[in-house]
Amino acid sequence: MDPKRYLPILQWLPGYGRATLGSDLLAAVIVTIMLIPQSLAYAMLAGLPPEVGLYASIAPLVVYAVFGTSRTLAVGPVAVVSLMTAAAVGQLAPQGSPEYLGAALVLALMSGLILTLMGAARLGFLANFLSHPVISGFITATGLIIAAGQLKHVLGVEAAGHNLVELGASLATSLGGVNAPTLVIGVGVLAFLYAARRWLKGGLVKLGVPARPADMLTKAAPILAVAMTTLATWWLGLDELGVAVVGEVPAGLPPLTLPGFDSGLWSQLFVAALLISVIGFVESVSVGQTLAAKRRQRIDPDQELVGLGTSNIAASFTGGMPVTGGFARSVVNFDAGAETPAAGAFTAVGIAAAALLLTPLIAYLPIATLAATIIVAVLSLVDIAAIKRTWAYSRCDAAAMLATILVTLGHGVESGILAGVTLSLALHLYYTSRPHSAVVGRVPGTEHFRNVQRHAVETDERLAILRVDESLYFANARYLEDTVMALATRQPSLEHIVLACQAVNVIDASALESLEVINARLKDAGVTMHLAEVKGPVMDRLYNTDFCRELTGQVYLSTYDAWQTLHGDGGERGTVCGKSVDRPASA
Amino acid sequence: MDPKRYLPILQWLPGYGRATLGSDLLAAVIVTIMLIPQSLAYAMLAGLPPEVGLYASIAPLVVYAVFGTSRTLAVGPVAVVSLMTAAAVGQLAPQGSPEYLGAALVLALMSGLILTLMGAARLGFLANFLSHPVISGFITATGLIIAAGQLKHVLGVEAAGHNLVELGASLATSLGGVNAPTLVIGVGVLAFLYAARRWLKGGLVKLGVPARPADMLTKAAPILAVAMTTLATWWLGLDELGVAVVGEVPAGLPPLTLPGFDSGLWSQLFVAALLISVIGFVESVSVGQTLAAKRRQRIDPDQELVGLGTSNIAASFTGGMPVTGGFARSVVNFDAGAETPAAGAFTAVGIAAAALLLTPLIAYLPIATLAATIIVAVLSLVDIAAIKRTWAYSRCDAAAMLATILVTLGHGVESGILAGVTLSLALHLYYTSRPHSAVVGRVPGTEHFRNVQRHAVETDERLAILRVDESLYFANARYLEDTVMALATRQPSLEHIVLACQAVNVIDASALESLEVINARLKDAGVTMHLAEVKGPVMDRLYNTDFCRELTGQVYLSTYDAWQTLHGDGGERGTVCGKSVDRPASA
């Protein structure tokens, strides 16, 4: 057991030097500036007090620096996980109640335990249940729900709902009560942030600012919006005109909290915790891998589970909420030059300082400003073009994606993700349950065998060679039975069937039983069954099985051996069939 | 649309002649004699009055003759489905109540609708979710539960429970009240039936009876046991000594019944109906296919769904219960010479005659006799050797099998089957999420490429050729990312990576995205990515994708083309590595 594997901090801390320190510190300052408004906003999105977002950006970052394998991943509250938190906890307790806060802590703890256990049991592969189209559809749908949900803060009205239908209906009935100053702030910040995204960097570059600092300044636009609108609200007394503000935020370091151990609550939150864990992990690991690849570094997905899991456990004991690696801030961290996870630990120090010193200043921060920040952030995740692209490439993947989007929008996040996973699994099984196979014949004069329907090849009416193009397992075992028996029924002169197995990597117990059944049925029908080109590991397992003992025919090393033995012994020379004669062998 | 496909009766009825009629009539008589005690016993097993078993063996058989595709399948109540019926209905109503009877009718109707709709939508592939080890484990476990559940009737005591633990505890507490005459009948019938199975056929053959009639007589042993114990009970007045008897059974044809349409009941029974449908279908279709193959006939699984579905619908409107194709009686039907489904229709006439005329005679039939019949029948389904065989062949399949057995025994039939399906799917995804791939090198002097770890091959430190041995889809897309990036990280001199795709039949949208990611990451790392041996249909879909436009390298027709271009241009001639030098190419 290599301690460096389980404590990745040992890989970089011993060689930590002054140059690295400088890069990491600079990155930490920039990420801190970006993370302050984000963590306030995402806490609000989760229905939690703003300081919870700050708390969730302190201890988890330090813990991730110890256990995480990405050098540049920036951990903390993220939009999608915050929405999932709100959806899960909102069903159990009213917002603002101590039970709501407690349930969020339990959710972070359960998610942390699930991730850590998955990592310890090396179950990272479970994330593979989520196909790309399902994830992409889910992110798009949650982006739309989040944006719609924040509209009420921009308009200064009341509305509620966990899916687009509920939200839309609720917003429509309350449009009469729009608060004008709130609307001005909200729309103003939205316009400012969009303008900054589109033109600020280009403008700064034109003014002679180098590209990287210009980029960094653009990323700092949200903090500028926060500062300006807070100042304006305080100066003009806008809160007395009905502009909702964050209000008093307690100053201080994160409290020590003990999540509850109520078994009823735990079982109610289990599915949500599992989904939050998997979604958070998939998003985080894909960001981490993308950034690592740019520097030819590596991520260990199973250790990443431990890194994210311990971070969430840390969050649950320090008044936080579920966290994971965020896309935008990790890219900023990377671009700003972070070289080791120490940058994350320094960011934690920055956020801790903010929690101690800056909280009195944000009492006048308008909620509409935070809502506008969220809207701009999540709408950049909405990828409508991906639907078109996926549709063009594969109807099947597009169906899974659309199901995810529609169910998420219409029924909520948990149903949406479960519908997508179920449908993509069912479609996958549907397709692999009909594996590709081809009756092949001999390319005249060679030892090569090709599909009789595509090529001009020699065949023999007493002999059929079936090339199986997939591993054989329970989902396609019965289809193989059908295919072989159809062949035997169609060709009454048949005496031998050869299964050419060059593409068969595995034969599971179901497929083995199907092969036994096929062998027995062919025997009843007077046809001998042979195998050819069976791979070494597959053959090793077939020895000593009933199938091997009862096989009516032989196992040939190559298809050509089978052909020579079964066709060559004085029979007719076969017939030439197939469509094209000019190009006998290519595909 | 071919009417013969949707009404298989049109395939054989027009040519029906006198010779076929004779064979079918003989088979029908033999199956009727076998089916009478079976249908009474399986109705009792399902917790229903005995006549329901007879009713379920009339209309469904006629309907199957019209819509079914097997020539010899004998439809009716079967043990496993009866147990599942009892488990599902028993949770909703007390045995003997009108609600219990009504729920059984609803279950038959729902199961019929599910099967018919699956057939119409050609969803027969869904049965592939059930792997052989899961089915085999499930049948073994239900056999044990059924046998344990019938013990109380053999002992003449009261006991209840839906799993082995409950049943065992219940039996243990009631052993004091064993009824001696019941025990004598029960154990006597058990001994007689076992003796008949083991020695009767051999004995008859020794006495000069030909093998086939001897076999038929052996199969008729249950009806002999029924007749003898009924007679003995009536003669000796055993019912007054505490021997439980069937009691008055109404004589007459099946009543017309209308299943209820209570939406609450329907949703409570849905999962049970789905599982009964799938289990019944899988068992039935595998019997049907085995028998069909013996005569080189074919079964159309999708039309079989319709055949079984309409049979169940017929059962629900004629006072019946869920039915499917039974193993033992179908074999008897086949062996007795049935040639068309008309034999099933004639059997229905036989059972109808029994329902009209024989019911007064079975009032004194001891329940213990029926219980003994069931025990002998289901214990022949218990296959402990299969566990050992599966364990020896594949730990993974054995795990799914054991999970199914243990959860079924300990928690009930529905949980058992769901646990087995979930585990086998998860294990399958686990294994396919780590697809086999190999870095290959050139067999010196040839155009062949082999695994560098197994063969003495030429390689090039600037070029890595990765042969991918599986289709690429969501479950293994991320693993491919890991594999390729590990290769790039491990070999810093690398300039080109070639993915050799001869075994890739499909690239789904997730895998396409992973290929894009791999291409982008390799580009960041200064490595060019190429493809080779991409199959025609796969390449067709790759054209016009972003991946194809952004691919940093080329697509080569063959691995050798890639090798010549990337290695041949004046570089070093490569090194010879690998373990064995004597046998360069075989696997």
Side-chain angles (χ1 to χ4, degrees):
Chain A
M1 179 173 143
D2 177 12
K4 283 190 183 170
R5 176 161 185 192
Y6 299 97
L7 281 173
I9 191 174
L10 299 178
Q11 291 168 20
W12 55 267
L13 194 60
Y16 202 74
R18 186 170 292 203
T20 322
L21 177 69
S23 313
D24 284 349
L25 273 177
L26 176 66
V29 169
I30 294 170
V31 173
T32 304
I33 290 173
M34 181 179 183
L35 191 50
I36 292 172
Q38 272 196 2
S39 55
L40 298 171
Y42 293 149
M44 185 182 87
L45 176 55
L48 294 160
E51 67 269 21
V52 171
L54 294 174
Y55 300 160
S57 308
I58 300 175
L61 279 66
V62 177
V63 171
Y64 183 83
V66 177
F67 293 105
T69 61
S70 165
R71 296 288 167 99
T72 45
L73 194 73
V75 170
V78 306
V80 172
V81 167
S82 297
L83 178 75
M84 293 177 82
T85 302
V89 176
Q91 292 173 344
L92 303 178
Q95 259 192 38
S97 66
E99 288 76 27
Y100 193 99
L101 264 134
L105 291 179
V106 169
L107 200 58
L109 178 58
M110 288 180 74
S111 170
L113 291 175
I114 290 173
L115 287 165
T116 310
L117 290 176
M118 279 171 70
R122 315 201 77 67
L123 291 180
F125 78 95
L126 280 178
N128 297 333
F129 277 86
L130 289 171
S131 69
H132 279 278
V134 169
I135 297 171
S136 158
F138 181 70
I139 301 281
T140 290
T142 46
L144 290 173
I145 293 180
I146 293 172
Q150 297 304 309
L151 267 185
K152 64 181 174 190
H153 297 305
V154 172
L155 301 171
V157 299
E158 294 288 319
H162 285 304
N163 60 49
L164 216 56
V165 181
E166 290 170 24
L167 272 170
S170 178
L171 272 179
T173 58
S174 57
L175 275 183
V178 168
N179 179 276
T182 307
L183 188 65
V184 170
I185 294 177
V187 174
V189 174
L190 272 179
F192 169 70
L193 291 177
Y194 264 108
R197 283 208 165 206
R198 280 210 79 159
W199 296 297
L200 188 56
K201 188 182 162 189
L204 288 170
V205 170
K206 271 196 193 144
L207 291 175
V209 181
R212 266 189 58 199
D215 200 36
M216 294 293 130
L217 273 173
T218 308
K219 294 274 162 57
I223 197 105
L224 204 66
V226 164
M228 291 194 317
T229 56
T230 305
L231 211 65
T233 308
W234 171 72
W235 194 282
L236 304 170
L238 293 181
D239 55 322
E240 283 165 22
L241 296 176
V243 171
V245 293
V246 166
E248 205 124 312
V249 176
L253 289 175
L256 278 183
T257 47
L258 194 64
F261 285 90
D262 168 9
S263 68
L265 185 63
W266 279 57
S267 69
Q268 280 173 310
L269 287 175
F270 179 75
V271 174
L274 184 68
L275 292 177
I276 286 177
S277 305
V278 175
I279 290 276
F281 170 65
V282 169
E283 276 306 285
S284 180
V285 91
S286 84
V287 177
Q289 280 177 328
T290 304
L291 297 179
K294 287 184 194 280
R295 297 191 187 149
R296 280 209 188 194
Q297 293 165 346
R298 288 213 67 206
I299 296 276
D300 171 359
D302 284 316
Q303 180 61 31
E304 266 310 279
L305 283 165
V306 176
L308 292 174
T310 48
S311 299
N312 272 293
I313 295 174
S316 74
F317 285 100
T318 56
M321 55 186 282
V323 295
T324 193
F327 176 69
R329 82 185 67 132
S330 298
V331 172
V332 168
N333 194 36
F334 181 92
D335 286 345
E339 290 189 22
T340 74
F346 299 148
T347 304
V349 174
I351 301 283
L356 268 175
L357 309 171
L358 297 184
T359 40
L361 305 181
I362 61 173
Y364 286 94
L365 167 56
I367 302 271
T369 305
L370 291 181
T373 329
I374 295 177
I375 291 176
V376 173
V378 296
L379 284 187
S380 72
L381 302 177
V382 172
D383 187 357
I384 302 291
I387 305 175
K388 267 178 66 183
R389 218 164 46 230
T390 308
W391 178 262
Y393 183 70
S394 152
R395 298 289 183 279
C396 180
D397 280 305
M401 189 180 214
L402 282 172
T404 311
I405 294 178
L406 294 178
V407 178
T408 306
L409 290 181
H411 200 261
V413 283
E414 292 182 15
S415 321
I417 199 93
L418 291 176
V421 169
T422 309
L423 188 61
S424 51
L425 274 178
L427 287 171
H428 167 62
L429 284 180
Y430 176 70
Y431 283 103
T432 55
S433 73
R434 285 161 163 68
H436 191 255
S437 63
V439 176
V440 295
R442 182 189 180 204
V443 179
T446 72
E447 297 184 13
H448 293 291
F449 290 79
R450 300 285 169 179
N451 194 334
V452 296
Q453 290 177 353
R454 294 194 177 202
H455 302 284
V457 289
E458 266 181 90
T459 58
D460 179 335
E461 60 177 18
R462 295 173 302 118
L463 167 66
I465 304 173
L466 187 73
R467 192 189 68 215
V468 181
D469 287 347
E470 205 106 25
S471 284
L472 296 175
Y473 77 110
F474 61 88
N476 60 27
R478 265 178 280 267
Y479 188 72
L480 183 71
E481 293 176 26
D482 288 353
T483 310
V484 173
M485 294 319 294
L487 200 60
T489 318
R490 214 167 47 216
Q491 204 168 320
S493 59
L494 203 65
E495 291 168 20
H496 302 281
I497 280 191
V498 179
L499 296 185
C501 301
Q502 57 266 58
V504 176
N505 294 310
V506 176
I507 295 179
D508 82 350
S510 301
L512 180 70
E513 207 156 320
S514 285
L515 287 176
E516 284 176 30
V517 167
I518 292 171
N519 181 51
R521 288 182 188 165
L522 286 177
K523 192 178 173 188
D524 285 340
V527 178
T528 314
M529 174 176 171
H530 308 266
L531 301 181
E533 317 225 10
V534 182
K535 294 190 176 182
V538 175
M539 201 62 225
D540 290 347
R541 289 174 78 195
L542 285 183
Y543 287 127
N544 286 320
T545 60
D546 288 344
F547 168 68
C548 212
R549 277 186 290 275
E550 286 161 16
L551 182 65
T552 50
Q554 306 290 319
V555 180
Y556 295 97
L557 262 183
S558 73
T559 309
Y560 184 63
D561 287 350
W563 171 267
Q564 276 196 307
T565 311
L566 301 172
H567 171 78
D569 56 348
E572 314 81 3
R573 291 306 304 162
T575 54
V576 175
C577 71
K579 281 191 263 183
S580 75
V581 193
D582 52 318
R583 212 171 53 113
S586 77
Chain B
M1 179 174 145
D2 177 11
K4 284 190 184 172
R5 177 162 185 192
Y6 299 97
L7 282 173
I9 191 175
L10 298 179
Q11 292 169 18
W12 55 268
L13 193 60
Y16 202 74
R18 187 172 288 204
T20 322
L21 176 69
S23 313
D24 284 349
L25 272 177
L26 175 66
V29 170
I30 295 171
V31 172
T32 303
I33 290 173
M34 182 179 184
L35 190 51
I36 292 173
Q38 274 195 1
S39 56
L40 297 171
Y42 293 150
M44 187 181 87
L45 177 55
L48 294 162
E51 66 270 19
V52 170
L54 293 175
Y55 299 161
S57 308
I58 301 174
L61 277 68
V62 177
V63 170
Y64 183 82
V66 176
F67 292 106
T69 61
S70 165
R71 297 286 167 101
T72 45
L73 193 72
V75 170
V78 305
V80 172
V81 167
S82 297
L83 178 76
M84 295 177 81
T85 302
V89 176
Q91 293 172 343
L92 303 178
Q95 261 192 34
S97 66
E99 289 76 25
Y100 193 97
L101 263 134
L105 291 179
V106 169
L107 201 57
L109 178 59
M110 289 180 73
S111 170
L113 291 175
I114 291 173
L115 287 165
T116 310
L117 290 175
M118 279 172 71
R122 316 201 77 68
L123 291 179
F125 78 95
L126 281 179
N128 297 333
F129 277 87
L130 288 171
S131 69
H132 280 276
V134 169
I135 296 172
S136 158
F138 180 70
I139 301 281
T140 290
T142 46
L144 290 172
I145 293 180
I146 293 173
Q150 296 304 310
L151 266 186
K152 64 181 174 189
H153 296 305
V154 172
L155 301 171
V157 300
E158 294 288 318
H162 285 305
N163 61 48
L164 216 56
V165 181
E166 290 169 25
L167 270 171
S170 180
L171 271 180
T173 58
S174 57
L175 275 185
V178 168
N179 177 276
T182 306
L183 188 66
V184 170
I185 293 176
V187 174
V189 173
L190 274 178
F192 170 69
L193 292 177
Y194 263 109
R197 283 208 166 208
R198 278 205 87 156
W199 296 297
L200 187 58
K201 189 182 161 189
L204 289 171
V205 170
K206 269 193 194 148
L207 291 176
V209 182
R212 264 187 62 199
D215 200 38
M216 293 295 130
L217 274 172
T218 309
K219 294 275 163 56
I223 195 104
L224 203 66
V226 164
M228 291 193 317
T229 55
T230 306
L231 210 65
T233 308
W234 170 71
W235 193 283
L236 303 171
L238 294 179
D239 55 322
E240 282 164 24
L241 297 175
V243 172
V245 293
V246 166
E248 205 122 315
V249 176
L253 289 175
L256 279 183
T257 47
L258 194 65
F261 285 89
D262 168 10
S263 69
L265 184 63
W266 279 58
S267 69
Q268 281 172 309
L269 288 175
F270 179 75
V271 174
L274 184 67
L275 293 177
I276 286 177
S277 305
V278 175
I279 290 278
F281 170 65
V282 168
E283 277 305 285
S284 179
V285 90
S286 84
V287 177
Q289 280 177 328
T290 303
L291 297 180
K294 287 185 196 278
R295 298 192 186 150
R296 281 211 186 191
Q297 293 165 346
R298 288 213 67 207
I299 296 276
D300 171 0
D302 284 316
Q303 179 61 30
E304 266 311 278
L305 284 165
V306 175
L308 292 174
T310 48
S311 298
N312 272 292
I313 295 174
S316 74
F317 285 101
T318 57
M321 55 186 283
V323 295
T324 191
F327 177 68
R329 81 184 69 129
S330 298
V331 172
V332 167
N333 194 35
F334 182 91
D335 286 344
E339 290 189 23
T340 74
F346 299 148
T347 304
V349 174
I351 301 283
L356 267 175
L357 309 172
L358 297 185
T359 40
L361 305 181
I362 60 172
Y364 286 93
L365 168 56
I367 302 270
T369 304
L370 292 180
T373 328
I374 295 178
I375 291 178
V376 173
V378 297
L379 284 187
S380 72
L381 302 177
V382 171
D383 188 358
I384 302 293
I387 305 175
K388 267 178 67 183
R389 217 164 46 231
T390 308
W391 178 262
Y393 184 71
S394 153
R395 298 289 185 277
C396 180
D397 281 304
M401 189 179 213
L402 282 172
T404 310
I405 293 178
L406 294 177
V407 178
T408 305
L409 290 181
H411 201 262
V413 284
E414 292 183 14
S415 320
I417 199 95
L418 292 176
V421 169
T422 309
L423 189 61
S424 52
L425 274 178
L427 287 170
H428 168 61
L429 284 181
Y430 176 70
Y431 284 103
T432 55
S433 71
R434 287 161 160 71
H436 191 255
S437 63
V439 176
V440 295
R442 182 190 179 204
V443 179
T446 72
E447 295 184 14
H448 292 292
F449 290 79
R450 301 283 170 179
N451 193 334
V452 296
Q453 290 178 354
R454 295 193 177 202
H455 301 283
V457 289
E458 267 183 87
T459 58
D460 181 335
E461 61 178 15
R462 295 173 301 118
L463 166 66
I465 304 174
L466 187 72
R467 192 191 66 214
V468 181
D469 287 347
E470 205 106 25
S471 283
L472 296 174
Y473 77 110
F474 60 89
N476 61 27
R478 264 180 282 266
Y479 188 73
L480 183 72
E481 293 177 26
D482 288 353
T483 309
V484 173
M485 294 319 294
L487 200 61
T489 319
R490 213 165 50 214
Q491 202 168 321
S493 59
L494 204 63
E495 291 169 21
H496 302 282
I497 281 191
V498 179
L499 296 185
C501 299
Q502 57 266 58
V504 176
N505 294 309
V506 176
I507 295 177
D508 82 351
S510 300
L512 180 71
E513 207 156 318
S514 285
L515 288 176
E516 283 176 32
V517 167
I518 292 170
N519 182 52
R521 288 182 189 164
L522 286 177
K523 191 178 174 185
D524 286 341
V527 179
T528 314
M529 173 177 173
H530 309 266
L531 301 180
E533 317 224 11
V534 182
K535 295 192 175 182
V538 175
M539 201 62 226
D540 290 348
R541 289 173 78 192
L542 285 182
Y543 287 126
N544 287 320
T545 60
D546 287 344
F547 168 67
C548 211
R549 279 185 288 275
E550 287 161 15
L551 181 66
T552 49
Q554 305 291 317
V555 179
Y556 295 98
L557 262 182
S558 74
T559 309
Y560 184 64
D561 287 351
W563 171 267
Q564 276 196 309
T565 313
L566 301 172
H567 171 78
D569 57 348
E572 314 82 1
R573 288 307 303 164
T575 53
V576 175
C577 70
K579 281 190 260 178
S580 75
V581 192
D582 53 320
R583 212 170 52 112
S586 79

